[in-house]
Amino acid sequence: MHNSLIYIGILEPSQIVSEGIQSILFQSDKAIKVYRLNDLEELDELCEDKTLDILIISSLQIVNREKEIKKIRKSYHNLLLVGIDYGLMQIPTELFDGTFTLYDSSEYFINLLSLLNKNKKVNKTDISDENGLTEREKDVLKGMVNGLSNKEIADLLNISIHTVISHRKNITAKTGIRSQSGLTIYAISKKIISIEEIDLTNH
Amino acid sequence: MHNSLIYIGILEPSQIVSEGIQSILFQSDKAIKVYRLNDLEELDELCEDKTLDILIISSLQIVNREKEIKKIRKSYHNLLLVGIDYGLMQIPTELFDGTFTLYDSSEYFINLLSLLNKNKKVNKTDISDENGLTEREKDVLKGMVNGLSNKEIADLLNISIHTVISHRKNITAKTGIRSQSGLTIYAISKKIISIEEIDLTNH
DNA sequence: TATCATATCCCCTAAAATGGGGATTTTTTA
DNA sequence: TAAAAAATCCCCATTTTAGGGGATATGATA
């Protein structure tokens, strides 16, 4: 019996983490070929030439992209998806064939990958969660990030405070982010608002 | 001209991160020797034989150990301390000659180390943090920015919730910033906390 | 046409924050 | 050493948020 080469893609913006994973992979006794991706979009391009066995995705690339990940599942039935859990945000484990954290040992990590690769059968649970915020939700988020109270946001948008609260519920449901500061960072990173737009002095 | 060998110690429990750092170090054109430490206590042992130039410390090893780190500063005047700023916890930047995050490029990281090594004694002034907040107020602010409730901050700092509220009053009085998001931006811009340290999932 | 996503509105309770008073003890510093 | 600053603690009333239920109307779309 021979071990065939395992093709692994890594989508991980942190160079340190990415290097660490590669280093551990290369130290293992598996025959592994690693490709680094900078973005989810690069997957199609890469898969034109190669057949990836495993795609490792950073949690930083997961938030609010469930739909894209589901699409990948559909397009590449035999591609195993492994999530890196940073502990910073909730990652939807149902979407992945396996996850690991930065604090797991290299043994654990290698075992996870080789086990997954052996039994290539997947549980494609359809936990549905919508991503992307609607325009109105973004409006409310901007208000939140600017430190406005629900009442003030309601006045600003000329809607009822109840509507604002509804939107907020949807925002937290969609993003899994509950704290003001988390949402601030989220809004900045998603370019929903820029730092310059934030009024520090607001209530 | 020859570059003298740089001795670097790494205190980083995450194998992935540690491997990544080493990998990046080895890829650089610097002459570097790396030692892995499993605990702060191992430093004395290691320094019996070698003279470390730089000690890289994971934020996981920093929390609640400020005193020990200060002691190291005193014992090893020429040892540069570099903190890995890496999510979930707050690291006291004043204690370090430099910090980097998991998301910094390898270039940044290498430059930081070689720059530090060249001018062995710079930063203290650079890190001049005069933002008017006391240490305790910063602690509370970090908690706020991480979306913790007053109660949770109180538990974290082992003080009464009333004390937390008092500190918060002082923070808003000093900064004039009342909103969570404003304080988040403030804390980031004043380098009291880095984006990576903010736990988006917290309440 | 029937369903879905969106946007709007409302009720409820419990928890948390806000903002106004204070006070005492410990640590720093002039 | 005495004064100042920091850190700790407490009470009060009011406002705001969190999270759980809902409902209705509209426009797109499958």
Side-chain angles (χ1 to χ4, degrees), chain A residues 96-118:
Chain A
F96 294 91
D97 301 293
T99 60
F100 65 97
T101 77
L102 293 185
Y103 318 106
D104 289 321
S105 69
S106 55
E107 287 76 20
Y108 174 91
F109 172 60
I110 294 290
N111 280 341
L112 171 70
L113 294 193
S114 58
L115 270 177
L116 280 177
N117 200 52
K118 262 177 202 153

PDB file of all heavy atoms in Angstrom, chain A residues 96-118:
ATOM      1  N   PHE A  96     -17.864  22.455   8.482  1.00  0.00           N
ATOM      2  CA  PHE A  96     -16.535  21.908   8.276  1.00  0.00           C
ATOM      3  C   PHE A  96     -16.466  20.423   8.598  1.00  0.00           C
ATOM      4  O   PHE A  96     -17.239  19.910   9.382  1.00  0.00           O
ATOM      5  CB  PHE A  96     -15.521  22.678   9.135  1.00  0.00           C
ATOM      6  CG  PHE A  96     -15.365  24.094   8.709  1.00  0.00           C
ATOM      7  CD1 PHE A  96     -16.138  25.098   9.262  1.00  0.00           C
ATOM      8  CD2 PHE A  96     -14.473  24.426   7.703  1.00  0.00           C
ATOM      9  CE1 PHE A  96     -16.013  26.402   8.841  1.00  0.00           C
ATOM     10  CE2 PHE A  96     -14.335  25.735   7.283  1.00  0.00           C
ATOM     11  CZ  PHE A  96     -15.111  26.717   7.852  1.00  0.00           C
ATOM     12  N   ASP A  97     -15.523  19.794   7.970  1.00  0.00           N
ATOM     13  CA  ASP A  97     -15.280  18.390   8.244  1.00  0.00           C
ATOM     14  C   ASP A  97     -14.430  18.221   9.485  1.00  0.00           C
ATOM     15  O   ASP A  97     -14.398  17.146  10.084  1.00  0.00           O
ATOM     16  CB  ASP A  97     -14.601  17.745   7.041  1.00  0.00           C
ATOM     17  CG  ASP A  97     -15.450  17.877   5.788  1.00  0.00           C
ATOM     18  OD1 ASP A  97     -16.518  17.265   5.736  1.00  0.00           O
ATOM     19  OD2 ASP A  97     -15.049  18.633   4.885  1.00  0.00           O
ATOM     20  N   GLY A  98     -13.761  19.274   9.855  1.00  0.00           N
ATOM     21  CA  GLY A  98     -12.965  19.232  11.063  1.00  0.00           C
ATOM     22  C   GLY A  98     -12.471  20.621  11.397  1.00  0.00           C
ATOM     23  O   GLY A  98     -12.435  21.493  10.541  1.00  0.00           O
ATOM     24  N   THR A  99     -12.139  20.813  12.650  1.00  0.00           N
ATOM     25  CA  THR A  99     -11.546  22.088  13.045  1.00  0.00           C
ATOM     26  C   THR A  99     -10.397  21.812  14.009  1.00  0.00           C
ATOM     27  O   THR A  99     -10.332  20.773  14.640  1.00  0.00           O
ATOM     28  CB  THR A  99     -12.559  23.009  13.766  1.00  0.00           C
ATOM     29  OG1 THR A  99     -13.031  22.346  14.929  1.00  0.00           O
ATOM     30  CG2 THR A  99     -13.733  23.359  12.871  1.00  0.00           C
ATOM     31  N   PHE A 100      -9.510  22.776  14.096  1.00  0.00           N
ATOM     32  CA  PHE A 100      -8.466  22.688  15.113  1.00  0.00           C
ATOM     33  C   PHE A 100      -8.155  24.100  15.581  1.00  0.00           C
ATOM     34  O   PHE A 100      -8.527  25.074  14.938  1.00  0.00           O
ATOM     35  CB  PHE A 100      -7.214  21.994  14.570  1.00  0.00           C
ATOM     36  CG  PHE A 100      -6.523  22.757  13.478  1.00  0.00           C
ATOM     37  CD1 PHE A 100      -5.435  23.575  13.771  1.00  0.00           C
ATOM     38  CD2 PHE A 100      -6.943  22.667  12.167  1.00  0.00           C
ATOM     39  CE1 PHE A 100      -4.792  24.285  12.766  1.00  0.00           C
ATOM     40  CE2 PHE A 100      -6.308  23.377  11.149  1.00  0.00           C
ATOM     41  CZ  PHE A 100      -5.236  24.181  11.457  1.00  0.00           C
ATOM     42  N   THR A 101      -7.498  24.204  16.721  1.00  0.00           N
ATOM     43  CA  THR A 101      -7.139  25.506  17.258  1.00  0.00           C
ATOM     44  C   THR A 101      -5.630  25.689  17.208  1.00  0.00           C
ATOM     45  O   THR A 101      -4.891  24.733  16.992  1.00  0.00           O
ATOM     46  CB  THR A 101      -7.603  25.663  18.722  1.00  0.00           C
ATOM     47  OG1 THR A 101      -6.700  24.942  19.563  1.00  0.00           O
ATOM     48  CG2 THR A 101      -9.010  25.138  18.917  1.00  0.00           C
ATOM     49  N   LEU A 102      -5.222  26.910  17.421  1.00  0.00           N
ATOM     50  CA  LEU A 102      -3.786  27.211  17.427  1.00  0.00           C
ATOM     51  C   LEU A 102      -3.061  26.453  18.532  1.00  0.00           C
ATOM     52  O   LEU A 102      -1.846  26.278  18.481  1.00  0.00           O
ATOM     53  CB  LEU A 102      -3.567  28.712  17.631  1.00  0.00           C
ATOM     54  CG  LEU A 102      -4.020  29.631  16.502  1.00  0.00           C
ATOM     55  CD1 LEU A 102      -3.628  31.067  16.811  1.00  0.00           C
ATOM     56  CD2 LEU A 102      -3.414  29.186  15.187  1.00  0.00           C
ATOM     57  N   TYR A 103      -3.818  26.032  19.519  1.00  0.00           N
ATOM     58  CA  TYR A 103      -3.195  25.467  20.710  1.00  0.00           C
ATOM     59  C   TYR A 103      -3.163  23.946  20.680  1.00  0.00           C
ATOM     60  O   TYR A 103      -2.686  23.308  21.597  1.00  0.00           O
ATOM     61  CB  TYR A 103      -3.917  25.986  21.952  1.00  0.00           C
ATOM     62  CG  TYR A 103      -4.210  27.450  21.793  1.00  0.00           C
ATOM     63  CD1 TYR A 103      -5.495  27.902  21.528  1.00  0.00           C
ATOM     64  CD2 TYR A 103      -3.167  28.374  21.812  1.00  0.00           C
ATOM     65  CE1 TYR A 103      -5.737  29.250  21.312  1.00  0.00           C
ATOM     66  CE2 TYR A 103      -3.410  29.704  21.598  1.00  0.00           C
ATOM     67  CZ  TYR A 103      -4.699  30.147  21.355  1.00  0.00           C
ATOM     68  OH  TYR A 103      -4.930  31.469  21.123  1.00  0.00           O
ATOM     69  N   ASP A 104      -3.692  23.388  19.609  1.00  0.00           N
ATOM     70  CA  ASP A 104      -3.612  21.940  19.477  1.00  0.00           C
ATOM     71  C   ASP A 104      -2.180  21.544  19.109  1.00  0.00           C
ATOM     72  O   ASP A 104      -1.471  22.286  18.439  1.00  0.00           O
ATOM     73  CB  ASP A 104      -4.581  21.458  18.408  1.00  0.00           C
ATOM     74  CG  ASP A 104      -6.037  21.571  18.848  1.00  0.00           C
ATOM     75  OD1 ASP A 104      -6.312  21.297  20.028  1.00  0.00           O
ATOM     76  OD2 ASP A 104      -6.875  21.940  18.025  1.00  0.00           O
ATOM     77  N   SER A 105      -1.818  20.369  19.546  1.00  0.00           N
ATOM     78  CA  SER A 105      -0.455  19.888  19.251  1.00  0.00           C
ATOM     79  C   SER A 105      -0.335  19.545  17.776  1.00  0.00           C
ATOM     80  O   SER A 105      -1.330  19.339  17.083  1.00  0.00           O
ATOM     81  CB  SER A 105      -0.156  18.653  20.091  1.00  0.00           C
ATOM     82  OG  SER A 105      -0.946  17.575  19.631  1.00  0.00           O
ATOM     83  N   SER A 106       0.892  19.467  17.317  1.00  0.00           N
ATOM     84  CA  SER A 106       1.104  19.121  15.907  1.00  0.00           C
ATOM     85  C   SER A 106       0.610  17.700  15.643  1.00  0.00           C
ATOM     86  O   SER A 106       0.101  17.409  14.571  1.00  0.00           O
ATOM     87  CB  SER A 106       2.573  19.276  15.545  1.00  0.00           C
ATOM     88  OG  SER A 106       3.372  18.512  16.409  1.00  0.00           O
ATOM     89  N   GLU A 107       0.748  16.839  16.650  1.00  0.00           N
ATOM     90  CA  GLU A 107       0.260  15.466  16.489  1.00  0.00           C
ATOM     91  C   GLU A 107      -1.241  15.467  16.221  1.00  0.00           C
ATOM     92  O   GLU A 107      -1.722  14.816  15.295  1.00  0.00           O
ATOM     93  CB  GLU A 107       0.545  14.629  17.747  1.00  0.00           C
ATOM     94  CG  GLU A 107       2.003  14.241  17.938  1.00  0.00           C
ATOM     95  CD  GLU A 107       2.853  15.404  18.443  1.00  0.00           C
ATOM     96  OE1 GLU A 107       2.277  16.390  18.998  1.00  0.00           O
ATOM     97  OE2 GLU A 107       4.064  15.367  18.268  1.00  0.00           O
ATOM     98  N   TYR A 108      -1.953  16.195  17.038  1.00  0.00           N
ATOM     99  CA  TYR A 108      -3.400  16.283  16.867  1.00  0.00           C
ATOM    100  C   TYR A 108      -3.748  16.763  15.468  1.00  0.00           C
ATOM    101  O   TYR A 108      -4.605  16.213  14.781  1.00  0.00           O
ATOM    102  CB  TYR A 108      -3.990  17.243  17.895  1.00  0.00           C
ATOM    103  CG  TYR A 108      -5.460  17.514  17.693  1.00  0.00           C
ATOM    104  CD1 TYR A 108      -6.423  16.732  18.329  1.00  0.00           C
ATOM    105  CD2 TYR A 108      -5.894  18.536  16.864  1.00  0.00           C
ATOM    106  CE1 TYR A 108      -7.770  16.968  18.127  1.00  0.00           C
ATOM    107  CE2 TYR A 108      -7.234  18.781  16.654  1.00  0.00           C
ATOM    108  CZ  TYR A 108      -8.165  17.982  17.292  1.00  0.00           C
ATOM    109  OH  TYR A 108      -9.503  18.216  17.088  1.00  0.00           O
ATOM    110  N   PHE A 109      -3.052  17.758  15.068  1.00  0.00           N
ATOM    111  CA  PHE A 109      -3.321  18.388  13.783  1.00  0.00           C
ATOM    112  C   PHE A 109      -3.057  17.429  12.624  1.00  0.00           C
ATOM    113  O   PHE A 109      -3.879  17.248  11.723  1.00  0.00           O
ATOM    114  CB  PHE A 109      -2.448  19.642  13.683  1.00  0.00           C
ATOM    115  CG  PHE A 109      -2.455  20.299  12.353  1.00  0.00           C
ATOM    116  CD1 PHE A 109      -3.645  20.776  11.822  1.00  0.00           C
ATOM    117  CD2 PHE A 109      -1.295  20.449  11.631  1.00  0.00           C
ATOM    118  CE1 PHE A 109      -3.660  21.393  10.582  1.00  0.00           C
ATOM    119  CE2 PHE A 109      -1.311  21.060  10.392  1.00  0.00           C
ATOM    120  CZ  PHE A 109      -2.487  21.523   9.872  1.00  0.00           C
ATOM    121  N   ILE A 110      -1.925  16.765  12.670  1.00  0.00           N
ATOM    122  CA  ILE A 110      -1.579  15.805  11.620  1.00  0.00           C
ATOM    123  C   ILE A 110      -2.584  14.647  11.605  1.00  0.00           C
ATOM    124  O   ILE A 110      -3.061  14.220  10.547  1.00  0.00           O
ATOM    125  CB  ILE A 110      -0.147  15.261  11.850  1.00  0.00           C
ATOM    126  CG1 ILE A 110       0.879  16.387  11.661  1.00  0.00           C
ATOM    127  CG2 ILE A 110       0.143  14.105  10.907  1.00  0.00           C
ATOM    128  CD1 ILE A 110       1.039  16.850  10.243  1.00  0.00           C
ATOM    129  N   ASN A 111      -2.908  14.166  12.798  1.00  0.00           N
ATOM    130  CA  ASN A 111      -3.881  13.074  12.881  1.00  0.00           C
ATOM    131  C   ASN A 111      -5.219  13.479  12.296  1.00  0.00           C
ATOM    132  O   ASN A 111      -5.849  12.707  11.585  1.00  0.00           O
ATOM    133  CB  ASN A 111      -4.070  12.643  14.339  1.00  0.00           C
ATOM    134  CG  ASN A 111      -2.952  11.734  14.798  1.00  0.00           C
ATOM    135  OD1 ASN A 111      -2.250  11.158  13.966  1.00  0.00           O
ATOM    136  ND2 ASN A 111      -2.790  11.623  16.100  1.00  0.00           N
ATOM    137  N   LEU A 112      -5.638  14.661  12.621  1.00  0.00           N
ATOM    138  CA  LEU A 112      -6.918  15.142  12.102  1.00  0.00           C
ATOM    139  C   LEU A 112      -6.924  15.086  10.587  1.00  0.00           C
ATOM    140  O   LEU A 112      -7.848  14.541   9.980  1.00  0.00           O
ATOM    141  CB  LEU A 112      -7.147  16.585  12.574  1.00  0.00           C
ATOM    142  CG  LEU A 112      -8.346  17.315  11.954  1.00  0.00           C
ATOM    143  CD1 LEU A 112      -9.649  16.736  12.449  1.00  0.00           C
ATOM    144  CD2 LEU A 112      -8.296  18.810  12.249  1.00  0.00           C
ATOM    145  N   LEU A 113      -5.869  15.613   9.996  1.00  0.00           N
ATOM    146  CA  LEU A 113      -5.834  15.683   8.545  1.00  0.00           C
ATOM    147  C   LEU A 113      -5.784  14.294   7.915  1.00  0.00           C
ATOM    148  O   LEU A 113      -6.490  14.015   6.951  1.00  0.00           O
ATOM    149  CB  LEU A 113      -4.634  16.519   8.083  1.00  0.00           C
ATOM    150  CG  LEU A 113      -4.652  18.000   8.439  1.00  0.00           C
ATOM    151  CD1 LEU A 113      -3.602  18.742   7.657  1.00  0.00           C
ATOM    152  CD2 LEU A 113      -6.019  18.623   8.204  1.00  0.00           C
ATOM    153  N   SER A 114      -4.960  13.424   8.462  1.00  0.00           N
ATOM    154  CA  SER A 114      -4.831  12.117   7.813  1.00  0.00           C
ATOM    155  C   SER A 114      -6.081  11.279   8.034  1.00  0.00           C
ATOM    156  O   SER A 114      -6.500  10.531   7.163  1.00  0.00           O
ATOM    157  CB  SER A 114      -3.575  11.395   8.302  1.00  0.00           C
ATOM    158  OG  SER A 114      -3.616  11.230   9.695  1.00  0.00           O
ATOM    159  N   LEU A 115      -6.684  11.422   9.206  1.00  0.00           N
ATOM    160  CA  LEU A 115      -7.947  10.715   9.450  1.00  0.00           C
ATOM    161  C   LEU A 115      -9.021  11.178   8.476  1.00  0.00           C
ATOM    162  O   LEU A 115      -9.714  10.367   7.863  1.00  0.00           O
ATOM    163  CB  LEU A 115      -8.425  10.967  10.886  1.00  0.00           C
ATOM    164  CG  LEU A 115      -7.939   9.974  11.941  1.00  0.00           C
ATOM    165  CD1 LEU A 115      -8.425  10.390  13.307  1.00  0.00           C
ATOM    166  CD2 LEU A 115      -8.426   8.568  11.592  1.00  0.00           C
ATOM    167  N   LEU A 116      -9.133  12.473   8.360  1.00  0.00           N
ATOM    168  CA  LEU A 116     -10.130  13.031   7.448  1.00  0.00           C
ATOM    169  C   LEU A 116      -9.893  12.529   6.040  1.00  0.00           C
ATOM    170  O   LEU A 116     -10.815  12.144   5.333  1.00  0.00           O
ATOM    171  CB  LEU A 116     -10.059  14.567   7.470  1.00  0.00           C
ATOM    172  CG  LEU A 116     -10.728  15.282   8.615  1.00  0.00           C
ATOM    173  CD1 LEU A 116     -10.487  16.768   8.498  1.00  0.00           C
ATOM    174  CD2 LEU A 116     -12.221  14.997   8.627  1.00  0.00           C
ATOM    175  N   ASN A 117      -8.637  12.513   5.657  1.00  0.00           N
ATOM    176  CA  ASN A 117      -8.306  12.145   4.289  1.00  0.00           C
ATOM    177  C   ASN A 117      -8.590  10.671   4.025  1.00  0.00           C
ATOM    178  O   ASN A 117      -8.892  10.289   2.909  1.00  0.00           O
ATOM    179  CB  ASN A 117      -6.836  12.459   4.021  1.00  0.00           C
ATOM    180  CG  ASN A 117      -6.552  12.552   2.547  1.00  0.00           C
ATOM    181  OD1 ASN A 117      -7.242  13.273   1.840  1.00  0.00           O
ATOM    182  ND2 ASN A 117      -5.568  11.813   2.084  1.00  0.00           N
ATOM    183  N   LYS A 118      -8.506   9.856   5.060  1.00  0.00           N
ATOM    184  CA  LYS A 118      -8.783   8.430   4.881  1.00  0.00           C
ATOM    185  C   LYS A 118     -10.262   8.185   4.620  1.00  0.00           C
ATOM    186  O   LYS A 118     -10.632   7.527   3.664  1.00  0.00           O
ATOM    187  CB  LYS A 118      -8.321   7.660   6.120  1.00  0.00           C
ATOM    188  CG  LYS A 118      -6.940   7.031   5.944  1.00  0.00           C
ATOM    189  CD  LYS A 118      -6.495   6.339   7.208  1.00  0.00           C
ATOM    190  CE  LYS A 118      -4.977   6.213   7.211  1.00  0.00           C
ATOM    191  NZ  LYS A 118      -4.450   6.166   8.579  1.00  0.00           N
TER     192      LYS A 118
END
